[in-house]
Amino acid sequence: QSALTQPRSVSGSPGQSVTISCTGTISDVGGYNYVSWYQHHPGKAPKLMIYDVSKRPSGVPDRFSGSKSGNTASLTISGLQAEDEADYYCCSYAGSHSLLFGIGTKVTVL
Amino acid sequence: EVQLVESGGGLVQPGGSLRLSCAASGFTFSSYWMSWVRQAPGKGLEWVANIKQDGGEKNYVDSVNGRFTVSRDNAKNSLYLQMNSLRAEDTAVYYCARVFGPRHFEYWGQGTLVTVSS
């Protein structure tokens, strides 16, 4: 299976909002409500930010929100902060207990 | 506190083998699916394999199926990845992760680097 499609990069000024899209197919994103998002600072362990499309783990700021429409999921970061600068990956359940990641999006805080 | 610590990475020649380990602590290891995820240099994350709580079900990405074997020892709170017939394209940082479902990765280790080169 091919990786889910994400924009290579997005950017915004502190306090602004940015949205990252994640496009798949009916076999993954569109077929299950099991999309998750991960923040990855290079050299560190990835961190779960959103699961089951729109749920936030304990400790994740409510500035992070997720949604899905059809075969496309989205992560929105509101009130952008300097520490949000990182790579972000979406991931979807793809059937038969397999998981599929997106290509990753670099978020830059201007 | 959940901790996952990978070990066993290193430099190996093409066609060679390597065994990665992941030591888990801070949770009931035998109650969770576990996974391996990798990141090649300059590339994105890629799910590699997962294993059910009792080891009775294992799943692999197509590119490693038949070459890699995931296993676990619940008595030792440890996860393993036996990698055979290694190729240059297997060069990556390999992460161990606790999985819910398996639907999403709840916790991750810091990763161990595997380099396949002559």
Side-chain angles (χ1 to χ4, degrees), chain B residues 27-38:
Chain B
F27 65 100
T28 304
F29 181 72
S30 59
S31 295
Y32 291 89
W33 283 79
M34 296 295 295
S35 278
W36 289 98
V37 176
R38 67 185 179 183

Side-chain angles (χ1 to χ4, degrees), chain B:
Chain B
E1 179 193 4
V2 172
Q3 284 200 320
L4 299 167
V5 180
E6 302 92 339
S7 61
L11 175 63
V12 60
Q13 292 189 336
S17 298
L18 209 57
R19 189 195 195 207
L20 305 183
S21 299
C22 171
S25 61
F27 65 100
T28 304
F29 181 72
S30 59
S31 295
Y32 291 89
W33 283 79
M34 296 295 295
S35 278
W36 289 98
V37 176
R38 67 185 179 183
Q39 184 176 34
K43 303 291 187 181
L45 299 173
E46 179 184 38
W47 168 74
V48 174
N50 60 27
I51 183 169
K52 196 175 180 180
Q53 290 91 329
D54 61 0
E57 180 178 342
K58 305 174 185 182
N59 304 283
Y60 303 91
V61 69
D62 287 348
S63 59
V64 309
N65 201 12
R67 299 187 299 121
F68 289 12
T69 302
V70 61
S71 62
R72 64 192 296 162
D73 185 335
N74 287 342
K76 294 183 177 180
N77 291 336
S78 292
L79 176 72
Y80 306 101
L81 186 66
Q82 177 66 43
M83 303 185 295
N84 298 330
S85 302
L86 282 161
R87 306 166 180 166
E89 54 264 36
D90 296 318
T91 294
V93 174
Y94 285 74
Y95 296 97
C96 161
R98 191 181 94 175
V99 189
F100 182 85
R103 290 160 20 189
H104 57 265
F105 307 96
E106 296 180 296
Y107 295 96
W108 300 66
Q110 293 288 336
T112 187
L113 176 62
V114 172
T115 303
V116 184
S117 175
S118 54

Side-chain angles (χ1 to χ4, degrees), chain A residues 3-11 17-25 28-29 35-38 53 65-77 87-92 100-107:
Chain A
L4 304 174
T5 301
Q6 296 180 234
R8 287 288 186 182
S9 64
V10 299
S11 61
S17 293
V18 295
T19 296
I20 303 168
S21 60
C22 170
T23 301
T25 69
D28 36 71
V29 175
V35 176
S36 51
W37 290 89
Y38 302 86
V53 175
S65 62
S67 63
K68 192 188 88 166
S69 177
N71 296 338
T72 298
S74 298
L75 172 73
T76 298
I77 309 173
D87 297 321
Y88 290 82
Y89 294 89
C90 64
C91 181
S92 175
L100 186 62
F101 280 97
I103 63 173
T105 298
K106 181 175 181 58
V107 171

